[in-house]
Each structure stands twice: as structure tokens, then as C-alpha cells.
């Protein structure tokens, strides 16, 4: 393990570890790996922690880590995309994080609590983090939203700082080299903010830096809720006009939620890639929209779910997640539930008519067609 603080010395270099290896983790590994190979302030080797799975390869059960390290491809979650050879898949979490000075978190946030004690023990004392996780934590006692980046920082210790990388970034398109933008929100201070940005920035993945961590992270979570509404619109067969209205109202509700619960949120954040752009791409091409469209079509085909109750909705969501995502997790439904809980606790649900209606359709049996009744603006603060 390194002894000195790499953030305070020009002689030290960053040791990067990626926590997670799904499609987004594998896509980001492609760019981070290539950047660490060429940047003088980074170690070439990048560890990628992989939850070990056995994969059938021509009738032979093979460890996913062995496949990634021999074929340099994540055949399960990002097939057909080459991962740089300096990215090493490691199934032992402590080994993967040993001495790391930059941790990149890219996994479903519900798995973090059991992993963070091991990560804290293994990482360098001066380590910092960047979360690519799009969701929110919620305090069960106060019923208040908590940034996942803050939950990570709290678990990692008083000196740990965690930024976020959010943006209009569909993993398959990023991996294919389609040009896109992303937003790094961090407050590490100079020169570390720029050093961190350079680790992610890539000719086809253009990263801008902002300091508004809360605004960027909450946008990354709430856009998944709005995307459920976009999927309902698509399931109904409505066109661009209706979806544009939903996006406009959705963006306003996202901004209102940010300002209601977090201080220092900046208006400019909502026009960054983490705001408006991410909302647009998620509502046209993301997994949450895709699953919500399947949910809507199935309910419409059964007379729009007449007699549907909460348990029926839960069963249908789970089946669609399994069938469509093949092992990946649907974040929009989880966030919709948690947002609903916190708004009810604050007696603020009626101030968010779109998010309220999305929850009612998703979990309370309201008709899919009623989504248009939620596309209204409530100007109360």
C-alpha cells in the first residue's frame, strides 16, 4: 500500500479501482483504462472489481473474471466491446481496492452497505471517490433524501470526499464510441478536480466539471422516475408532442425537488449533460423507459389493468426486469417509491403531480392512460 498522500505530491500517481462491472462499469473501464495507460499521474493498471459469476462458454462453466482477463471482453454485460488489457478483473474486493487513491463506484446502490467496510479497510488513507450510481438514499428515521455520494463518504471516513459523474450516457452507445458529454461534479479542489476529470475525459466522451454535487446527483436519480412516465407515453403510442410536454414538466419537478431538499443547487446544473441532456436520452433510449413501455403495453393489453392492485404491479415489474434486463437492475421503480415516501412525509406530494401520477400507475393500479393527467405544472414551492 502507498505510504504518502498522492493528492499532495507531484511524485505520486493515482491508483484507480472500478467497483462494479455491469454494462456501464465495463463501458467506463474502456475509457478509464486507456486514459490511465497514457496519463503520467496514473498507474497503468486499473483493477475492476467483479462479482464472480459462472458463464457457460461452449458448454464449459467459466469464471467471468477469467473470461474478462483472457478475452478482454465482458461477454455477459457488454458483449462485443474490447476492454483494455491494463484493466484487470478481480473478484476479491479487498485485493481490488488495495492502495487505491481513486475509487469509481458503478454498481446498484443497494449493494454498497455490505461492501464499504471492506473498501475502507483496503483503500489508501487519502483515497477519494467518484460515484456513477444514479439513485438516492433515504434516511428511514427522518424520511429525508440522502445523496449516495454522501452515504459513501460517511462510510469511508471523515477525510473521504466523493464526487459524481452523471450525464446523457447510454452505456452501449458510449462503448461504441458515439460522441457524448458527461458532467463531473466534485469539490476536491485544485489540482485534483482537473486530474480527476482527465481520467474520465476521452475524445468521444467529453467531460465538463461543475461543483454542484447535489444538483448533478439528484438529477441523475430523478430522471429515471420521469423515464417511467416516458415509457408509459410510448406504450400508449403517443408522439413527440406528448413526450416533450412530459420532459418539460419532469425537468421542472426535478429542479423543485433539488431545491426543496438540498442547499447550494445551481440553475446552470439543469442545462448540463447531467440535467436536461440526461433526461432526454433516458426518456428516449434508457432501460427505465424500455421497461416502462413493456409494463404499459402488457397492462393495456389486459384492458389497462382493470382490477390491478399493488401486488400485481410488483410482480409485473419483477418479471419485466428479469426478461428485459437479463440481470441488470431497474433503478427508476425503486427511486419512485423512495421519492413518494419522502414527499408524503413532507406533505408535499401534491406539489409534484407528475411524480405522484407515475407512482400511482406503477404501484397503485391507476390506468396507463391517466399519465397525461400528471403532465401539469404546480407552481407552489
Amino acid at each position: 500500500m502507498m505510504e504518502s498522500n498522492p493528492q499532495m505530491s507531484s511524485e505520486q500517481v493515482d491508483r484507480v479501482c472500478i467497483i462494479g462491472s455491469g454494462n456501464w462499469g465495463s463501458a467506463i473501464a474502456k475509457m478509464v483504462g486507456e486514459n490511465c495507460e497514457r496519463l503520467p499521474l496514473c498507474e497503468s493498471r486499473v483493477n475492476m472489481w467483479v462479482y464472480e459469476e459462472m458463464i457457460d462458454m461452449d458448454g464449459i462453466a467459466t469464471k467471468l473474471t477469467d473470461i474478462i482477463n483472457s478475452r478482454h471482453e465482458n461477454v455477459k454485460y457488454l458483449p462485443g466491446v474490447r476492454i483494455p488489457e491494463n484493466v484487470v478483473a478481480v473478484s476479491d474486493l479487498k485485493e481490488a481496492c488495495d492502495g487505491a487513491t481513486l475509487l469509481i463506484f458503478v454498481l446498484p446502490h443497494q449493494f454498497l452497505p455490505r461492501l464499504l467496510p471492506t473498501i475502507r479497510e483496503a483503500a489508501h488513507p487519502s483515497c477519494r471517490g467518484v460515484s456513477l450510481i444514479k439513485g438516492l438514499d433515504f434516511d428511514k428515521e427522518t424520511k429525508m433524501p440522502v445523496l449516495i455520494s454522501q452515504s459513501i463518504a460517511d462510510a469511508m471516513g471523515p477525510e473521504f470526499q466523493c464526487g459524481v459523474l452523471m450525464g446523457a450516457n447510454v452505456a452501449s452507445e458510449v462503448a461504441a464510441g458515439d460522441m457524448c458529454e458527461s458532467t463531473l461534479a466534485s469539490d476536491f479542489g485544485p489540482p485534483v478536480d482537473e486530474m480527476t476529470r482527465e481520467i474520465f475525459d476521452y475524445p468521444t466522451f467529453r467531460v465538463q466539471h461543475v461543483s454542484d454535487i447535489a444538483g448533478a446527483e439528484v438529477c441523475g436519480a430523478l430522471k429515471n422516475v420521469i423515464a417511467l412516465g416516458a415509457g408509459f407515453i410510448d406504450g400508449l403510442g403517443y408522439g413527440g408532442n406528448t413526450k416533450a410536454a412530459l420532459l418539460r414538466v419532469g425537468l421542472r419537478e426535478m429542479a423543485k425537488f433539488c431545491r426543496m431538499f438540498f442547499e447550494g443547487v445551481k440553475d446552470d446544473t439543469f442545462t448540463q449533460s447531467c440535467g436536461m441532456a440526461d433526461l432526454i436520452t433516458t426518456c428516449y433510449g434508457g432501460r427505465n423507459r424500455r421497461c416502462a413501455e413493456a409494463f404499459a403495453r402488457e397492462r393495456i393489453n389486459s384492458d389497462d389493468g382493470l382490477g390491478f392492485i399493488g401486488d400485481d404491479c410488483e410482480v409485473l415489474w419483477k418479471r419485466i426486469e428479469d426478461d428485459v434486463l437479463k440481470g441488470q437492475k431497474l433503478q427508476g421503480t425503486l427511486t419512485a417509491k423512495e421519492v413518494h415516501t419522502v414527499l408524503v412525509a413532507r406533505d408535499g406530494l401534491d406539489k409534484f403531480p407528475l411524480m405522484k401520477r407515475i407512482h400511482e400507475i406503477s404501484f397503485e393500479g391507476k390506468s396507463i392512460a391517466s399519465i397525461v393527467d400528471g403532465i401539469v405544472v404546480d407552481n407552489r414551492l
Side-chain angles (χ1 to χ4, degrees):
M1 182 179 289
M2 300 180 199
E3 297 299 331
S4 59
N5 184 337
Q7 272 72 60
M8 300 299 293
S9 170
S10 60
E11 298 178 0
Q12 290 288 350
V13 296
D14 263 323
R15 180 178 293 177
V16 179
C17 175
I18 300 170
I19 311 294
S21 59
N23 68 335
W24 186 210
S26 299
I28 209 71
K30 178 178 185 292
M31 295 171 294
V32 169
E34 290 188 25
N35 286 339
C36 288
E37 182 74 27
R38 66 176 180 79
L39 288 170
L41 293 178
C42 294
E43 288 189 5
S44 173
R45 173 171 169 149
V46 175
N47 282 348
M48 180 171 70
W49 177 70
V50 175
Y51 179 79
E52 193 68 276
E53 300 179 62
M54 301 304 293
I55 307 298
D56 187 336
M57 298 294 291
D58 300 322
I60 300 173
T62 309
K63 292 180 179 179
L64 181 57
T65 51
D66 289 344
I67 297 169
I68 293 173
N69 290 332
S70 61
R71 296 180 51 153
H72 307 292
E73 175 189 358
N74 189 332
V75 296
K76 179 170 184 179
Y77 295 111
L78 197 66
V81 175
R82 184 170 178 79
I83 296 173
E85 293 185 16
N86 61 310
V87 175
V88 180
V90 181
S91 61
D92 184 278
L93 182 62
K94 186 175 182 179
E95 178 187 345
C97 299
D98 183 43
T101 62
L102 175 61
L103 296 167
I104 299 172
F105 295 91
V106 53
L107 73 168
H109 76 277
Q110 56 264 38
F111 298 125
L112 280 173
R114 65 183 176 87
L115 302 180
L116 285 169
T118 301
I119 296 171
R120 176 177 180 172
E121 179 185 349
H124 192 278
S126 71
C127 188
R128 67 194 188 280
V130 175
S131 171
L132 280 62
I133 301 168
K134 294 183 175 180
L136 284 172
D137 274 340
F138 288 86
D139 188 305
K140 290 182 173 61
E141 294 183 4
T142 65
K143 299 293 193 296
M144 292 288 285
V146 179
L147 300 176
I148 290 175
S149 62
Q150 187 60 53
S151 295
I152 292 171
D154 291 344
M156 289 293 293
E159 301 301 318
F160 189 88
Q161 291 182 287
C162 191
V164 299
L165 185 79
M166 302 283 156
N169 308 140
V170 175
S172 59
E173 296 178 16
V174 172
D178 296 353
M179 179 266 161
C180 66
E181 295 180 309
S182 197
T183 306
L184 172 67
S186 65
D187 194 19
F188 302 130
V192 184
D193 284 320
E194 177 59 19
M195 289 167 53
T196 307
R197 190 195 68 81
E198 289 179 347
I199 289 172
F200 292 100
D201 191 59
Y202 194 76
T204 58
F205 189 75
R206 301 172 188 176
V207 180
Q208 288 81 41
H209 177 265
V210 300
S211 59
D212 181 7
I213 299 173
E217 186 167 353
V218 176
C219 281
L222 295 185
K223 56 93 183 185
N224 286 331
V225 179
I226 307 304
L228 299 180
F232 300 155
I233 292 293
D234 291 338
L236 289 162
Y238 294 161
N241 290 348
T242 311
K243 186 177 283 190
L246 178 131
L247 265 64
R248 185 187 77 86
V249 172
L251 184 62
R252 289 175 66 97
E253 289 196 4
M254 288 163 56
K256 182 189 288 189
F257 188 96
C258 286
R259 296 189 183 102
M260 179 179 288
F261 293 103
F262 298 96
E263 296 181 355
V265 173
K266 300 176 181 177
D267 289 344
D268 179 64
T269 302
F270 300 104
T271 59
Q272 297 287 340
S273 181
C274 62
M276 179 179 65
D278 196 7
L279 178 64
I280 292 170
T281 197
T282 304
C283 288
Y284 278 90
R287 70 178 72 165
N288 293 280
R289 184 219 63 81
R290 192 164 71 251
C291 288
E293 180 180 2
F295 179 90
R297 291 191 185 280
E298 182 141 348
R299 284 191 52 188
I300 290 167
N301 289 338
S302 62
D303 295 325
D304 203 2
L306 294 176
F308 244 66
I309 59 175
D311 287 346
D312 298 323
C313 293
E314 295 279 6
V315 169
L316 181 54
W317 279 121
K318 181 64 170 66
R319 177 159 57 79
I320 289 172
E321 181 183 65
D322 292 342
D323 292 346
V324 176
L325 299 186
K326 309 295 185 185
Q328 299 177 57
K329 294 299 179 183
L330 185 60
Q331 293 297 324
T333 48
L334 178 62
T335 305
K337 289 180 181 179
E338 293 171 332
V339 166
H340 183 267
T341 298
V342 75
L343 290 176
V344 168
R346 282 288 297 267
D347 196 26
L349 187 60
D350 289 338
K351 298 177 183 178
F352 295 81
L354 180 55
M355 290 197 222
K356 177 183 178 182
R357 182 49 53 95
I358 288 171
H359 185 275
E360 290 172 339
I361 294 171
S362 297
F363 303 109
E364 300 173 36
K366 279 275 189 181
S367 73
I368 304 296
S370 71
I371 185 63
V372 295
D373 298 328
I375 306 177
V376 295
V377 172
D378 187 298
N379 290 316
R380 289 174 292 176
L381 296 177

